[in-house]
Amino acid sequence: MNTQTIGWPCLALVLLSATAQGGVVQGQVKTVDGKPLAGAMVTAFDPQQKRRDTVYSDATGNFVLRVDFAGKLTLRARAPYFRDESRELELVADGRSQQSFAMSRHSVAAELSASLPASAHLATVQWASHDSRSAFISQCNYCHQVGNELTRGSKDLDAWRATVRRMEGYFSILTNQEADDIAKTLSASFQGKPVKAVEQHDVSPVIASAKIKEWVVGDAHSFIHDTDVGGDDQLYGSDEGNDVIWHLDRNTGAINQYRLPDVDLPEGGMFAGFQLPIGVFSGKHGPHSMAQGKDGRFWITNALSSSLMSFDPATKQFKRYDLGFKHLYPHTVRIDQQGMVWFTITATNEVARFDPKTEQFKVIVLPHGGFWQAVTDYTFPYALKALSYFPKQNYQLTISHHKWANVGREAFNFPYGIDVNPLDGSIWYAKLYGHKIGRIDPKTFDITEFDTPLKGPRRLRFDAQGNLWIPAFDDSGVMKFDTRSHKFESYKLPLLAHNEYEVPYALNIHPKTGDVWVTSNMSDRVFRFDPRSKTFVTYPMPTRVTWLRDLVFARDGGICSSSSNLPAYGIEGGLASFICLYPDGEPAAQAQGQTSGMAKHL
């Protein structure tokens, strides 16, 4: 059903009908000795285990969980350092159920260790050098959590060397020394022994009003890299590994998939010579990032086929615009005030502008930054073309100068995130390995670059005042850049323990509150930063191994993303999901519960 054409009264009935199928579960979470437990996550799973609704207990341990599904549900209470408590219950439509929990602390070392986030396990790793640790954070943490149950298994040195080599097959850029140090360190550190950690979980009272909704999507090999919210307030996700666009109707829970049209390329597209993640990357296009234009079409960067593609959600039609083999790995996409489509091209150090009216590209070559970066920019396309004749052999690890010249990731610039300044329309990008941000004049295409005080600038975003906010992936921080004064401010993310770290992949600024929402990705949390008070609020995620990419804002109040740990079978439950966090509780339309209220928010 298309919410853009359906009448408002009918739409209200649809939403009310969906809500009416659920009910309310309420109660209290206490410790076994009767003390109220604040910040406990209470989750209801639907009968098919495909939908999950979660709330947090308040300072008195009380919770009220409204669910929009009924039947035989599973209810689980979860809190750090306590054993999960689960039970089955029957919830009739529009019914109420009283459920309380008495939670006991973990007494078995192995169970406690398994409950700790990846950040706690990584804090026990003893690195021989700061350089090897930095390389590990930068190159081995960007697609999945390291330290979850899938990745921290005990393996001998040869097995770890094979694992590191496999990761290098998908853009993990390491010198030979770094690769060897990482394999040796992980082999010595991950021995299957329980980990002890003293973590400080700061439970803010404001999270008691929040709710999290999750919808399971795809299978164990789905890799939903980015999520965007459409003009219909529904969610669309790009499955980079399988050439699929996923579509979630949050009102009904219905999930559809639309497969990208085939193309005359081998599996892996332009990167067929790389040993892409086995079983996950079975496509040729690699849809990566999405942005919707005013005409309703989504613009999608196809990282593996070096193309831009439009998708019309009304007609379900795709159209492909080829960039050619010299412009490799189109990445993050944004649309400016004039409807121009801008995106970074990561592997060849470029930014492109596409005009949907003329269907023409303008490719802007970014400053090289040094000799070895220039070598990469000029030679990489030709090397990649030659490698395609040797599928999945990883010969780039033999011939690439990042190996034989011993320069590692410094041989690459990697323009990554991109955004549009709302005040003057200028285009700004982040160079992940160059540790720079840059400005492009949209008329003259003049470029100015700035070094960042923290390393690993990634998916950056503007606020309404023209300030640029930048996540520092390598340094567990967030940076604010004043585009007028050219001054930086840096803020370190709150850690659970002093020796842990986070890898903030993306952030976004709420258009109404101005709060900066930040992914963490090593501790199953999301941060909200208030620029006025310069304080953080932490929202624990109920599903272990939650790995979020772009954050987007829905009109019903949700802060939404996809759980995109690669592979999905490493996530608790073994499947990816769409996730929306509602800081103020229920989605706006359901909370209003009336036609006028729904029309206002939709």
Side-chain angles (χ1 to χ4, degrees):
M1 187 174 293
N2 188 334
T3 58
Q4 291 180 315
T5 58
I6 189 171
W8 290 120
C10 185
L11 175 59
L13 290 176
V14 170
L15 293 179
L16 287 172
S17 175
T19 305
Q21 298 305 310
V24 177
V25 182
Q26 63 186 68
Q28 190 176 32
V29 183
K30 295 182 178 180
T31 63
V32 289
D33 55 358
K35 296 179 181 179
L37 195 56
M41 294 169 282
V42 182
T43 302
F45 300 77
D46 79 343
Q48 293 75 37
Q49 301 285 300
K50 297 294 185 181
R51 301 173 70 176
R52 305 188 285 264
D53 286 2
T54 300
V55 294
Y56 304 90
S57 60
D58 64 16
T60 63
N62 289 311
F63 69 90
V64 178
L65 173 57
R66 301 179 185 275
V67 295
D68 51 11
F69 43 80
K72 187 172 290 186
L73 311 184
T74 301
L75 193 68
R76 183 191 69 200
R78 169 171 285 176
Y81 290 95
F82 289 86
R83 297 176 58 190
D84 289 356
E85 294 290 336
S86 298
R87 67 190 57 164
E88 306 294 323
L89 64 95
E90 188 80 27
L91 186 66
V92 300
D94 297 323
R96 304 184 74 87
S97 178
Q98 187 75 30
Q99 302 286 331
S100 294
F101 295 90
M103 302 190 69
S104 57
R105 289 188 174 273
H106 278 290
S107 57
V108 179
E111 293 179 359
L112 171 59
S113 179
S115 74
L116 294 171
S119 57
H121 291 268
L122 289 175
T124 66
V125 176
Q126 300 296 314
W127 293 98
S129 70
H130 175 75
D131 289 344
S132 293
R133 181 180 185 270
S134 297
F136 174 78
I137 292 173
S138 173
Q139 298 302 299
C140 300
N141 292 258
Y142 62 77
C143 278
H144 58 84
Q145 281 191 13
V146 182
N148 60 41
E149 290 189 68
L150 179 69
T151 60
R152 64 172 176 258
S154 178
K155 293 188 286 191
D156 62 26
L157 180 57
D158 286 342
W160 273 112
R161 281 175 171 154
T163 297
V164 173
R165 185 79 173 181
R166 189 168 65 251
M167 296 301 100
E168 289 184 279
Y170 187 51
F171 272 130
S172 186
I173 303 170
L174 301 167
T175 66
N176 289 324
Q177 184 64 57
E178 289 168 345
D180 194 56
D181 285 352
I182 289 170
K184 288 178 179 177
T185 301
L186 297 183
S187 176
S189 299
F190 290 155
Q191 293 288 325
K193 298 178 181 179
V195 165
K196 297 179 180 179
V198 179
E199 296 182 324
Q200 299 296 322
H201 292 265
D202 179 26
V203 179
S204 170
V206 304
I207 74 171
S209 62
K211 183 175 186 177
I212 297 172
K213 297 175 71 67
E214 299 177 72
W215 300 262
V216 171
V217 182
D219 59 26
H221 293 112
S222 297
F223 178 40
I224 308 173
H225 193 285
D226 275 359
T227 294
D228 200 7
V229 60
D232 52 11
D233 216 32
Q234 298 177 13
L235 296 185
Y236 296 81
S238 51
D239 191 331
E240 185 178 3
N242 299 282
D243 288 356
V244 166
I245 299 300
W246 294 96
H247 165 224
L248 166 68
D249 184 333
R250 289 178 299 152
N251 298 326
T252 66
I255 295 174
N256 297 303
Q257 60 174 308
Y258 306 105
R259 184 163 296 280
L260 275 63
D262 198 8
V263 64
D264 186 21
L265 286 171
E267 183 178 295
M270 301 287 188
F271 293 80
F274 282 51
Q275 187 185 1
L276 300 174
I278 298 172
V280 178
F281 275 70
S282 59
K284 303 175 181 180
H285 287 294
H288 191 277
S289 180
M290 307 174 66
Q292 191 177 34
K294 292 181 180 179
D295 64 358
R297 285 184 295 173
F298 283 98
W299 294 94
I300 305 162
T301 48
N302 287 329
L304 302 183
S305 65
S306 292
S307 63
L308 183 70
M309 185 171 281
S310 66
F311 171 67
D312 188 331
T315 65
K316 313 300 186 292
Q317 296 299 306
F318 292 90
K319 187 173 181 179
R320 178 171 173 259
Y321 304 88
D322 187 42
L323 277 161
F325 82 95
K326 292 185 179 180
H327 310 291
L328 295 168
Y329 217 91
H331 200 274
T332 305
V333 61
R334 303 287 182 244
I335 300 175
D336 71 13
Q337 294 91 331
Q338 284 70 46
M340 296 291 185
V341 181
W342 295 82
F343 56 96
T344 49
I345 306 177
T346 299
T348 44
N349 192 32
E350 298 163 318
V351 165
R353 186 195 71 178
F354 179 78
D355 186 338
K357 294 180 180 178
T358 65
E359 299 187 343
Q360 297 296 311
F361 288 103
K362 167 67 177 179
V363 177
I364 304 159
V365 178
L366 302 180
H368 302 303
F371 174 75
W372 291 116
Q373 291 92 337
V375 171
T376 301
D377 297 344
Y378 288 124
T379 65
F380 194 78
Y382 301 98
L384 201 65
K385 192 173 182 66
L387 291 169
S388 66
Y389 293 102
F390 307 94
K392 305 181 188 298
Q393 295 303 305
N394 277 351
Y395 286 147
Q396 77 277 6
L397 301 184
T398 302
I399 67 173
S400 177
H401 54 287
H402 87 272
K403 285 284 191 181
W404 56 258
N406 198 39
V407 290
R409 62 193 183 279
E410 293 182 7
F412 292 80
N413 283 289
F414 261 47
Y416 212 87
I418 192 169
D419 206 13
V420 183
N421 189 329
L423 301 185
D424 64 6
S426 57
I427 308 302
W428 290 74
Y429 59 86
K431 282 186 174 178
L432 178 62
Y433 299 152
H435 311 306
K436 297 177 184 292
I437 58 171
R439 178 188 188 273
I440 300 175
D441 187 298
K443 295 180 180 179
T444 66
F445 305 113
D446 289 341
I447 299 170
T448 308
E449 292 193 336
F450 305 86
D451 294 322
T452 59
L454 300 180
K455 292 184 178 180
R458 213 143 192 162
R459 287 275 183 88
L460 39 70
R461 295 276 194 169
F462 273 98
D463 64 21
Q465 291 73 44
N467 297 304
L468 187 59
W469 292 86
I470 312 150
F473 188 86
D474 295 13
D475 282 339
S476 302
V478 170
M479 297 174 282
K480 174 188 173 184
F481 181 72
D482 187 322
T483 57
R484 294 162 293 269
S485 67
H486 296 169
K487 292 182 178 179
F488 284 94
E489 295 178 22
S490 300
Y491 308 93
K492 285 303 186 87
L493 298 178
L495 304 177
L496 293 174
H498 75 279
N499 55 338
E500 295 187 13
Y501 66 84
E502 297 290 354
V503 282
Y505 180 89
L507 54 75
N508 207 346
I509 294 83
H510 198 282
K512 293 183 178 179
T513 66
D515 290 339
V516 182
W517 290 85
V518 190
T519 63
S520 66
N521 288 352
M522 273 299 141
S523 61
D524 301 329
R525 297 185 295 167
V526 170
F527 302 119
R528 187 180 75 188
F529 178 71
D530 183 343
R532 297 161 293 276
S533 63
K534 299 182 179 180
T535 56
F536 287 92
V537 172
T538 299
Y539 293 82
M541 295 288 103
T543 301
R544 293 189 179 118
V545 195
T546 294
W547 180 274
L548 304 179
R549 305 278 176 165
D550 251 357
L551 297 171
V552 293
F553 302 108
R555 290 196 299 275
D556 67 356
I559 295 97
C560 303
S561 189
S562 54
S563 185
S564 64
N565 187 83
L566 193 163
Y569 57 77
I571 303 168
E572 181 182 15
L575 297 169
S577 65
F578 286 113
I579 298 177
C580 290
L581 188 158
Y582 297 88
D584 299 321
E586 297 300 313
Q590 294 185 25
Q592 293 279 337
Q594 55 188 356
T595 303
S596 60
M598 291 175 187
K600 178 181 178 181
H601 289 279
L602 286 168

